[in-house]
Amino acid sequence: MSGMTIREGLLATIHGKEADRIPFQIRTSYLPHGEVERECRNKGMGINYALQCMHTFMPHVRVITSTTMTTKRREIKTTFETPVGKVSQIRREAKPFGGRFNGIGGHLIEYPVKKLEDWEVVKFMAEDTQYEPYYERFDYFKRLIGEEGVIFTFVGYHSPYTKLLIEWAGVPRLYIDHYRHPEKVEPVLEALARNQEKQFPIAANSPADIIKYGDHIDEGFISPSAFEKYILPIHNKFARMAHSKGKITAIHCDGRLNALKHLIGELEHDIIHAVTPPPVGNLPIKEALDLWENKIIWINYEYHFMGPKALKKHLLNLLRSIIPGYRVVIDASTERWVPPACLRMFANIMSKATLPLTERKLRRIERSV
């Protein structure tokens, strides 16, 4: 086992210091509890909790939900009634009693914005949203996690542009309306940006170890010009505020990043979170490390669908590509539940990845697992 505790090694890494091994983590909600959990955590796998640091509410919006369930799926309809009109969305949860364990999550099949008039409704929702600090749980979870890991919190879940893409409009509607009717869409983006700034001091003053500001960045949905105009300024504004409080900040970039890599380098966050190696992602981790010299790369290791044998080969090749192995954290998954057999192989390899990595060490690991 490591001379450092799990928490010490992770904090050393994210603060730009040297740990004695590559930190490897998993979010508690994606961890298969039981025998494999004990085995992997005894090998040094850390855990992280994601806690909200604020309550969010819309005092002048009535929210109504209804659920339709079958043996194959569950659909949740949410209606937002405002003084200027109403909108609704439908979220489908696949396999309600087993989807989480198959790595299948829910998704919106109907977005709130369906016609031009709906932009005025969501603008009202953006302006009406209010926040109150909610720090009470942090002390409890810090005692609970102890030296086993760290605690994240969030500024919202998406910044304004990605909120429209992922939560309120969807890709086709946003693109078409933004091009044809910018006078409808731009006021919503501006209202969201003004409103989200109210979250900044609440998050910056929270007791979390890391503050993450969204954002599910992917070049397939966010062009370089959109990133430069809508993502970069608001993220850097938050990062500066949080840094003035001595906090570590991150942005969630789990998609394809090659076309955005130089702009991502202009972000003032400390951590680029959930970077997914090829072939699911398209930016090699070694290239990201070379480009973003002052940043920590938190890797989303999204390859458990391969099965343990192929995972072993892929993970060892990834480790070879980043020798000597500094400035990275490897997460078993930032996105979904991990099958036990794959988690066991992941932990067996990562538990032996002491720093600095060398080819000789990796050959020894390869023979031992």
Side-chain angles (χ1 to χ4, degrees):
M1 288 295 293
S2 167
M4 288 181 165
T5 68
I6 292 169
R7 179 175 172 82
E8 287 170 345
L10 183 56
L11 290 179
T13 299
I14 66 176
H15 283 276
K17 301 176 183 178
E18 289 189 8
D20 52 1
R21 65 178 61 243
I22 296 178
F24 60 110
Q25 290 266 307
I26 189 170
R27 186 187 292 188
T28 53
S29 55
Y30 301 149
L31 176 61
H33 297 299
E35 182 179 348
V36 173
E37 173 194 12
R38 181 181 295 277
E39 180 183 329
C40 295
R41 291 180 62 187
N42 284 346
K43 290 180 180 294
M45 184 179 72
I47 55 175
N48 61 78
Y49 283 98
L51 302 181
Q52 292 181 349
C53 65
M54 64 191 81
H55 290 302
T56 303
F57 57 99
M58 295 179 288
H60 303 102
V61 178
R62 186 180 183 212
V63 182
I64 304 167
T65 61
S66 60
T67 302
T68 302
M69 183 178 291
T70 70
T71 56
K72 294 184 178 180
R73 62 176 177 261
R74 175 173 55 198
E75 292 181 356
I76 302 170
K77 181 176 182 179
T78 306
T79 302
F80 304 91
E81 296 183 351
T82 81
V84 298
K86 66 180 180 180
V87 293
S88 63
Q89 66 181 38
I90 298 176
R91 180 177 177 84
R92 176 174 292 169
E93 304 285 348
K95 297 183 179 179
F97 304 111
R100 173 172 175 259
F101 304 105
N102 294 327
I104 302 171
H107 62 283
L108 286 175
I109 60 171
E110 183 179 297
Y111 291 90
V113 177
K114 303 175 186 65
K115 56 187 184 299
L116 281 179
E117 293 78 8
D118 294 338
W119 287 108
E120 189 63 30
V121 179
V122 294
K123 179 175 178 286
F124 180 92
M125 291 165 57
E127 293 171 337
D128 193 52
T129 304
Q130 298 184 27
Y131 311 96
E132 290 181 352
Y134 178 42
Y135 302 150
E136 288 81 359
R137 298 184 301 166
F138 282 85
D139 284 344
Y140 168 78
F141 277 96
K142 282 194 171 184
R143 292 195 303 271
L144 187 67
I145 204 169
E147 291 298 311
E148 295 292 307
V150 294
I151 295 175
F152 280 88
T153 196
F154 305 94
V155 177
Y157 194 63
H158 298 108
S159 62
Y161 191 76
T162 54
K163 187 175 184 71
L164 297 189
L165 276 173
I166 297 171
E167 297 182 44
W168 278 5
V171 174
R173 171 61 60 186
L174 176 60
Y175 287 175
I176 292 169
D177 286 358
H178 202 188
Y179 178 75
R180 294 179 177 173
H181 303 281
E183 76 283 357
K184 297 287 187 181
V185 179
E186 284 291 329
V188 179
L189 287 165
E190 292 165 5
L192 281 168
R194 287 193 302 270
N195 184 272
Q196 285 195 359
E197 287 187 24
K198 298 176 184 177
Q199 300 182 44
F200 290 0
I202 298 175
N205 286 306
S206 76
D209 297 303
I210 302 168
I211 308 170
K212 189 168 63 169
Y213 193 0
D215 216 354
H216 293 290
I217 299 300
D218 187 299
E219 68 183 35
F221 306 109
I222 302 171
S223 68
S225 60
F227 189 98
E228 189 169 22
K229 182 175 182 179
Y230 298 110
I231 306 293
L232 197 58
I234 196 166
H235 274 267
N236 283 347
K237 190 169 189 176
F238 169 69
R240 291 179 201 125
M241 174 182 284
H243 290 159
S244 73
K245 305 284 186 179
K247 298 300 175 65
I248 295 290
T249 66
I251 179 174
H252 188 79
C253 294
D254 59 341
R256 295 156 292 179
L257 306 178
N258 192 58
L260 301 170
K261 59 190 177 185
H262 296 292
L263 287 167
I264 291 171
E266 295 181 27
L267 288 163
E268 296 178 28
H269 291 301
D270 307 285
I271 299 170
I272 309 301
H273 182 265
V275 180
T276 306
V280 174
N282 67 356
L283 179 63
I285 301 301
K286 177 63 165 64
E287 184 177 352
L289 286 165
D290 291 342
L291 277 172
W292 309 328
E293 294 180 353
N294 62 339
K295 301 192 186 303
I296 306 304
I297 311 299
W298 192 296
I299 297 170
N300 168 35
Y301 192 72
E302 197 67 17
Y303 288 95
H304 305 288
F305 61 85
M306 289 180 164
K309 185 176 179 180
L311 182 151
K312 172 184 173 180
K313 180 179 180 181
H314 185 275
L315 181 54
L316 286 167
N317 285 339
L318 171 63
L319 293 174
R320 283 191 172 93
S321 75
I322 61 170
I323 289 173
Y326 295 107
R327 290 196 295 119
V328 298
V329 177
I330 302 187
D331 203 307
S333 177
T334 65
E335 309 302 318
R336 69 196 81 248
W337 184 83
V338 179
C342 294
L343 188 65
R344 177 183 279 122
M345 177 61 74
F346 172 83
N348 282 344
I349 293 171
M350 291 307 305
S351 66
K352 299 173 175 64
T354 56
L355 293 171
L357 280 181
T358 64
E359 177 59 37
R360 183 178 180 182
K361 282 183 184 177
L362 290 170
R363 285 198 299 267
R364 189 163 61 243
I365 294 170
E366 190 168 17
R367 290 192 298 268
S368 69
V369 296

